[in-house]
Amino acid sequence: MNKLSILPLLTCFFLVACQTLGTGMAGKASYYAHQYHGRPTASGEPYNMYAMTAAHPSLPFGTLLRVTNLRNGRAVLVRVNDRGPYKAGRVVDVSLAAAEQLGLILPGTAEVRLEVVR
């Protein structure tokens, strides 16, 4: 592939990223923790349950998301570094650290709003 042939792909990627910036998505969030700690994520980096990261099915790796728990108003910033969730009806899986700050540990899931920050 030469430089000119990848230009349309890069343009498309940046247009999609810009169109989603600041837009909100809503749905159910869950979290993943101990059994995945240290295992590779879809981006290739090891999963760290103490980092502020998340799994999203389609946003580019490195995307910063503001996740807000609609039940209690708590919000966190997470970086997308994995794919998922794979359970129907869920829009994001967050790390253990993010889940603790969002108040997800006891209920396991919560309705959230996602906003692309960067």
Side-chain angles (χ1 to χ4, degrees):
M1 228 181 204
N2 64 34
K3 290 179 185 177
L4 291 178
S5 64
I6 64 167
L7 189 56
L9 294 173
L10 290 174
T11 303
C12 180
F13 171 79
F14 286 113
L15 284 175
V16 169
C18 290
Q19 288 172 348
T20 60
L21 186 63
T23 61
M25 301 167 262
K28 191 169 278 198
S30 52
Y31 71 95
Y32 58 126
H34 299 88
Q35 75 183 77
Y36 298 101
H37 187 69
R39 294 171 72 180
T41 62
S43 67
E45 71 181 82
Y47 172 64
N48 179 352
M49 65 185 181
Y50 304 112
M52 299 299 285
T53 59
H56 187 275
S58 59
L59 289 172
F61 296 135
T63 299
L64 288 182
L65 286 176
R66 177 178 292 112
V67 181
T68 304
N69 183 334
L70 297 178
R71 188 178 303 141
N72 60 22
R74 295 182 190 176
V76 296
L77 284 178
V78 294
R79 180 178 51 84
V80 175
N81 72 338
D82 205 0
R83 292 291 173 231
Y86 297 107
K87 195 155 194 167
R90 304 225 176 132
V91 295
V92 69
D93 273 338
V94 297
S95 64
L96 178 66
E100 287 173 339
Q101 290 188 22
L102 287 168
L104 284 181
I105 302 300
L106 288 178
T109 63
E111 291 296 319
V112 296
R113 180 179 60 246
L114 303 179
E115 297 168 273
V116 175
V117 175
R118 178 172 58 98

